[in-house]
Amino acid sequence: MAHLKRTTVIVASAMVALTACAPAGYDGANSSAAEPVAVAAAEPTAAAEPEASATEKAPPADVRLTDQLVGKKVPRMGNVVMDQDGWILYRFDKDSADPPSSNCVDKCAQVWPPALTDGNAQLQGVSDDKVGTVTRQDGTRQITIGGWPVYRYIGDKKPGQWKGQAVGGTWFVVDQNGKKNLTCLPSGTPKAVAPPASGDSGSSDGGSSGYSY
């Protein structure tokens, strides 16, 4: 059984910054074409055990949990980590891995939803000694890889896309060791998509925005 290590931190507000080094078939900011995702070789799957803490609380019922981490290679990008639905995960340069801490909250976290867990994430192609958790300001637990908190990106419209690569020069696809995957980089510095409209629980339209977080 893999054991998600827990570190308690207080997160601070941060600024984050659409991506250009896109999957094959991606031809612009409004394209929804996704790169074919390579099929991962069968690997042993381990379960992460929950660990109780007085400062932690279960995520709200309407919050999406990351139930699985899958490390694999995809065309062009190479090594990535995906969740159970095939969404590629990212890390943020303004976070910290030692000690683990997240600096993406509020509107930042609306654009970059943290990979939250109840401690039971299944691991495939990711070593259990690389996976842990960090307690966010709201008491929920976020998955870390190599100490780095990991996130999805609402600008990715289909599983297998990596439109968040190098957004703001601070967001990068994460590999199985928690390192930045720098294999495929855009020629410029893309901006993040806008956060969802107030009261809208869905994603933004995926267009470029003036937001810098």
Side-chain angles (χ1 to χ4, degrees), residues 4-213:
L4 291 187
K5 300 177 286 297
R6 187 186 77 256
T7 304
T8 300
V9 302
I10 300 299
V11 296
S13 295
M15 304 294 284
V16 304
L18 206 297
T19 170
C21 185
Y26 175 64
D27 59 0
N30 296 320
S31 172
S32 60
E35 174 110 0
V37 177
V39 177
E43 298 185 40
T45 298
E49 298 177 355
E51 187 169 332
S53 169
T55 61
E56 294 172 354
K57 64 181 180 182
D62 60 345
V63 169
R64 181 179 185 276
L65 291 180
T66 298
D67 298 322
Q68 187 177 25
L69 296 179
V70 180
K72 60 171 65 176
K73 286 187 176 182
V74 298
R76 295 184 63 199
M77 182 58 73
N79 289 317
V80 304
V81 179
M82 297 178 170
D83 69 7
Q84 66 275 5
D85 298 315
W87 298 99
I88 287 179
L89 301 178
Y90 300 86
R91 50 169 276 184
F92 183 34
D93 280 355
K94 294 183 181 180
D95 285 347
S96 170
D98 187 19
S101 65
S102 170
N103 288 304
C104 180
V105 297
D106 302 326
K107 288 186 177 180
C108 170
Q110 294 177 28
V111 176
W112 303 91
L116 300 180
T117 182
D118 59 3
N120 294 307
Q122 301 290 314
L123 308 181
Q124 181 177 339
V126 182
S127 177
D128 59 358
D129 63 357
K130 295 294 184 181
V131 180
T133 64
V134 61
T135 302
R136 295 177 59 80
Q137 187 178 40
D138 61 4
T140 56
R141 295 167 66 185
Q142 182 175 1
I143 293 174
T144 63
I145 302 177
W148 290 94
V150 293
Y151 308 78
R152 290 183 296 109
Y153 178 49
I154 67 169
D156 289 336
K157 298 305 178 182
K158 292 184 178 181
Q161 290 185 329
W162 57 82
K163 296 182 182 181
Q165 178 73 330
V167 163
T170 56
W171 290 91
F172 296 92
V173 171
V174 67
D175 71 12
Q176 294 91 327
N177 296 310
K179 297 184 181 299
K180 292 185 283 190
N181 181 335
L182 303 177
T183 302
C184 185
L185 293 172
S187 57
T189 303
K191 295 181 181 296
V193 298
S198 179
D200 179 8
S201 60
S203 298
S204 68
D205 63 7
S208 179
S209 75
Y211 294 93
S212 58
Y213 44 77

